[in-house]
């Protein structure tokens, strides 16, 4: 039953309580950071990383496993030897200079447009989980309906600025058609910005065609509406699938994340500083290629960071070196004056437990203090990304809201009024009933909904629930209150028709569509 229906049915005190406790789903605007960033490298060390990266590009080179990219680089003046491209530093820096330092994203609801770059940051949910933990905390394979559930929750979480794309993999849809239904779910269940699939160049083209249906012909030529992610194969390799998808996005003037995939100690040197030098070279090579494709198109310095356990070989999250790398990469991205992406609230825990919380908190604090712009994997990530937990999803989203408030910095607008309250109350008094407190208590201190700060007696009266159970109850409540944002009927019909047509054209097989 909707809030409006409950209020109409009950009236009086119950109605006021329903209104007071109803979920607030208005999206927070772009986070405009008000805190200074942490910069552990001095100017000389930044230049040392920069020079080392350029030396890697010139002397070692980067493999581009794609004949079109190799021809593009030849025309651009690079030294191409087989699949290995040696990039002159002057060429790289001239190309990097043409990347816009700021991006404005346009949502289908204009009130949810966001800005990226400089002090402007956004939170984006996790993606790519092949498993989920559902509303009963059961680990299982997800369906397209489950993906819709996550998109609905993303729509209702104020601190999340995007519905992402395949938060979980819908295993009931054949792989060849999956990108169509994922994109439609992102568009249908939320009116926030969303990401675009880059699982193949053909899939990327389909996603961009659907974006054109949603936003209108020609709109994307001058407006960013979606984001593609292209992962590198570290060390120093970019493959044909990712490069083809990159070309699709750049040609339509849509931002792409140029993301080396770092497993520190496995595909980088076992050294934090040297790993960043390699990652920086990889990112620069891809960022430069976006400008070879289309000069002036938006691009984002990306990466995925992990270190590898030397005992088991498993990727680790929340380690001190990942935090240090985030700080360093922030400095490098600012040196080149380009927006940058990182990963947030990561963890390797198998359930939503203390390990999950500690790892996620460790990662998030570094992410916020590093000045990242596109803050991806901000809700739900657990088990090294193997599953997305509904309980952790809603808690993570609230933690993002807490981080949002902290990173805004100190509010000074009521300083004089608050000082006057000290004179009014005087020694030995209290502020609970003072007009300034009554007017400001909600904005003065963040009050989390999912963390229990009551007495143990009250906690027992309320059912002795732990954070996981409170989160699952909250998720069920949110889904009960969810109201789908209206999608223009003609656009909806055109999107459905496009999906039907492409589903007939692409063979229904469990493999990526590379040919149709």
């Amino acid at each position: 039953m909707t809030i409006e229906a409950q209020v109409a049915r009950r009236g009086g005190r119950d109605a006021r309580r329903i209104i007071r406790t109803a979920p607030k789903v208005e999206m927070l605007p772009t986070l405009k950071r008000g805190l200074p960033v942490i910069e552990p490298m001095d100017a000389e060390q930044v230049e040392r990383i920069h020079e080392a990266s350029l030396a890697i590009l010139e002397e070692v080179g980067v493999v581009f496993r794609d004949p079109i990219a190799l021809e593009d680089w030849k025309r651009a003046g690079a030294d191409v030897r087989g699949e290995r491209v040696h990039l002159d530093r002057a060429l790289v820096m001239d190309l990097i200079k043409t990347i816009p330092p700021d991006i404005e994203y346009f949502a289908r609801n204009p009130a949810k447009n966001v800005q990226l770059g400089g002090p402007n940051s956004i939170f984006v949910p996790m993606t790519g989980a092949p498993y989920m933990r559902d509303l009963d905390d059961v680990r299982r394979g997800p369906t397209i309906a489950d993906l819709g559930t996550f998109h609905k929750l993303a729509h209702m979480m104020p601190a999340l600025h995007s519905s992402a794309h395949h938060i979980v993999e819908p295993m009931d849809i054949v792989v060849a058609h999956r990108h169509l239904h994922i994109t439609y779910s992102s568009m249908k269940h939320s009116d926030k910005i969303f990401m675009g699939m880059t699982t193949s160049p053909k899939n990327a083209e389909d996603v961009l065609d659907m974006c054109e249906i949603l936003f209108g012909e020609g709109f994307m030529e001058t407006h960013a509406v979606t984001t593609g992610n292209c992962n590198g194969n570290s060390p120093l390799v970019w493959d044909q699938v990712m490069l083809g998808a990159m070309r699709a996005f750049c040609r339509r003037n849509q931002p792409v994340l140029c993301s080396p995939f770092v497993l520190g100690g496995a595909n980088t040197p076992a050294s934090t500083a040297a790993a960043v030098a390699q990652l920086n070279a990889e990112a620069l090579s891809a960022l430069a290629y976006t400008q070879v494709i289309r000069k002036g198109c938006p691009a984002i310095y990306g990466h995925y960071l992990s270190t590898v356990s030397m005992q088991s070989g498993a990727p680790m999250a929340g380690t001190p070196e990942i935090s240090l790398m985030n700080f360093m990469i922030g400095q490098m991205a600012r040196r080149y004056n380009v927006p940058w992406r990182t990963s947030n609230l990561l963890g390797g825990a198998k359930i939503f437990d203390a390990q999950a919380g500690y790892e996620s908190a460790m990662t998030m604090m570094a992410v916020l203090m590093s000045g990242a712009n596109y803050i991806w994997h901000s809700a739900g990530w657990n088990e090294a990304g193997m599953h997305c937990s509904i309980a952790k999803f809603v808690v993570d989203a609230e933690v993002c809201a807490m981080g949002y408030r902290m990173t805004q910095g100190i509010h000074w607008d009521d300083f004089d009024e608050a000082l006057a309250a000290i004179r009014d109350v005087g020694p030995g008094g209290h502020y609970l009933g003072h007009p300034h407190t009554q007017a400001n208590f909600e904005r003065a201190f963040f009050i989390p909904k999912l963390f229990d700060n009551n007495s143990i007696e009250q906690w027992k009266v309320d059912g002795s629930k732990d954070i996981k159970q409170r989160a699952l109850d909250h998720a069920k409540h949110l889904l009960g209150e969810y109201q789908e944002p209206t999608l223009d009927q003609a656009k909806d019909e055109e999107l459905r028709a496009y999906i039907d047509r492409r589903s007939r054209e692409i063979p229904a097989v469990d493999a990526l569509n590379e040919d149709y």
Side-chain angles (χ1 to χ4, degrees), residues 30-273:
T30 303
L31 170 57
K32 298 187 182 297
R33 299 190 312 277
L35 291 182
V37 294
I38 291 177
E39 297 193 329
M41 295 189 291
D42 60 28
E44 181 181 346
Q45 290 165 333
V46 169
E47 290 308 303
R48 190 175 180 186
I49 295 289
H50 171 68
E51 291 296 326
S53 299
L54 295 180
I56 291 169
L57 293 177
E58 288 181 332
E59 299 165 17
V60 181
V62 177
V63 168
F64 283 76
R65 290 182 178 150
D66 177 67
I68 296 174
L70 294 172
E71 288 302 315
D72 288 341
W73 275 123
K74 287 177 184 177
R75 285 192 295 271
D79 177 9
V80 179
R81 308 174 199 172
E83 290 187 331
R84 192 175 297 202
V85 180
H86 294 259
L87 295 168
D88 176 79
R89 63 186 61 207
L91 173 62
V92 171
M93 296 313 297
D94 283 346
L95 290 168
I96 295 294
K97 288 175 185 175
T98 64
I99 298 174
D102 303 289
I103 302 169
E104 182 174 11
Y105 279 102
F106 291 80
R108 71 174 175 93
N109 178 355
K112 296 179 181 178
N113 294 352
V114 293
Q115 292 74 44
L116 197 77
N120 298 318
S121 302
I122 61 172
F123 293 108
V124 180
M126 79 160 290
T127 63
Y131 296 95
M132 66 177 290
R133 282 192 175 271
D134 62 20
L135 287 164
D136 296 314
D137 199 39
V138 174
R139 186 183 186 275
R140 59 175 174 81
T143 65
I144 192 66
D146 294 319
L147 177 61
T149 293
F150 280 109
H151 284 153
K152 292 172 185 177
L153 290 171
H155 176 70
M156 298 186 77
M157 303 272 79
L160 297 181
H161 297 101
S162 170
S163 61
H165 48 22
H166 65 315
I167 295 173
V168 292
E169 285 282 349
M171 299 299 187
D172 55 338
I173 306 289
V174 294
V175 173
H177 298 169
R178 200 172 283 176
H179 65 289
L180 301 167
H181 297 272
I182 290 168
T183 302
Y184 180 72
S185 181
S186 304
M187 295 174 168
K188 177 73 169 174
H189 296 303
S190 176
D191 56 7
K192 298 179 180 181
I193 64 168
F194 52 89
M195 298 184 73
M197 302 293 293
T198 55
T199 43
S200 79
K202 295 287 188 184
N203 289 355
E205 291 287 359
D206 285 341
V207 169
L208 294 164
D209 286 346
M210 292 176 71
C211 289
E212 187 159 283
I213 292 170
L214 184 64
F215 290 97
E217 186 176 355
F219 189 80
M220 291 190 292
E221 271 296 301
T222 52
H223 300 81
V225 303
T226 189
T227 310
N229 178 59
C230 294
N231 283 321
N233 293 339
S234 300
L236 300 167
V237 176
W238 293 94
D239 68 39
Q240 188 170 15
V241 170
M242 291 288 92
L243 293 169
M246 182 183 292
R247 284 191 292 272
F249 273 76
C250 292
R251 286 169 180 163
R252 304 285 273 271
N253 208 34
Q254 297 304 296
V256 64
L257 307 171
C258 301
S259 302
F261 197 93
V262 169
L263 300 169
N267 62 7
T268 74
S271 159
T272 299

Side-chain angles (χ1 to χ4, degrees), residues 227-386:
T227 310
N229 178 59
C230 294
N231 283 321
N233 293 339
S234 300
L236 300 167
V237 176
W238 293 94
D239 68 39
Q240 188 170 15
V241 170
M242 291 288 92
L243 293 169
M246 182 183 292
R247 284 191 292 272
F249 273 76
C250 292
R251 286 169 180 163
R252 304 285 273 271
N253 208 34
Q254 297 304 296
V256 64
L257 307 171
C258 301
S259 302
F261 197 93
V262 169
L263 300 169
N267 62 7
T268 74
S271 159
T272 299
V276 170
Q278 176 190 300
L279 179 156
N280 191 56
E282 293 167 336
L284 288 176
S285 67
L287 289 166
Y289 184 56
T290 66
Q291 304 307 292
V292 172
I293 300 166
R294 177 170 176 162
K295 192 159 288 189
C297 70
I300 299 169
Y301 185 134
H303 63 76
Y304 173 82
L305 296 178
S306 179
T307 52
V308 172
S309 169
M310 294 296 110
Q311 294 176 321
S312 66
M316 298 185 293
T319 63
E321 291 75 22
I322 293 174
S323 296
L324 291 170
M325 283 192 273
N326 266 313
F327 297 144
M328 296 169 72
I329 293 162
Q331 289 186 260
M332 300 314 299
R334 286 188 289 276
R335 190 218 181 278
Y336 306 122
N337 197 27
V338 294
W340 71 287
R341 161 250 160 148
T342 192
S343 301
N344 191 24
L345 289 166
L346 303 183
K350 312 308 175 283
I351 59 174
F352 185 26
D353 60 5
Q355 178 184 334
Y358 284 128
E359 288 176 330
S360 295
M362 184 77 174
T363 304
M364 183 180 193
M365 186 60 68
V367 163
L368 293 176
M369 301 311 295
S370 65
N373 302 116
Y374 196 98
I375 306 176
W376 195 6
H377 301 316
S378 284
W381 181 288
N382 222 12
E383 196 187 337
M386 288 297 292

Side-chain angles (χ1 to χ4, degrees), residues 376-441:
W376 195 6
H377 301 316
S378 284
W381 181 288
N382 222 12
E383 196 187 337
M386 288 297 292
H387 82 251
C388 183
S389 157
I390 286 183
K392 190 170 186 292
F393 192 94
V394 296
V395 174
D396 284 350
E398 181 164 273
V399 172
C400 285
M402 297 171 71
Y404 181 105
R405 171 63 197 94
M406 182 193 77
T407 315
Q408 282 181 310
I410 301 164
H411 290 159
W412 289 91
D413 55 329
D414 68 334
F415 184 63
D416 292 336
E417 291 86 348
L419 285 178
I422 297 174
R423 299 179 185 277
D424 293 342
V425 172
H430 69 78
Y431 294 84
L432 297 176
H434 192 277
H436 177 267
T437 304
Q438 297 296 312
N440 288 278
F441 75 94

Side-chain angles (χ1 to χ4, degrees), residues 159 284 483 515:
L284 288 176
Q483 297 182 39
D515 303 312

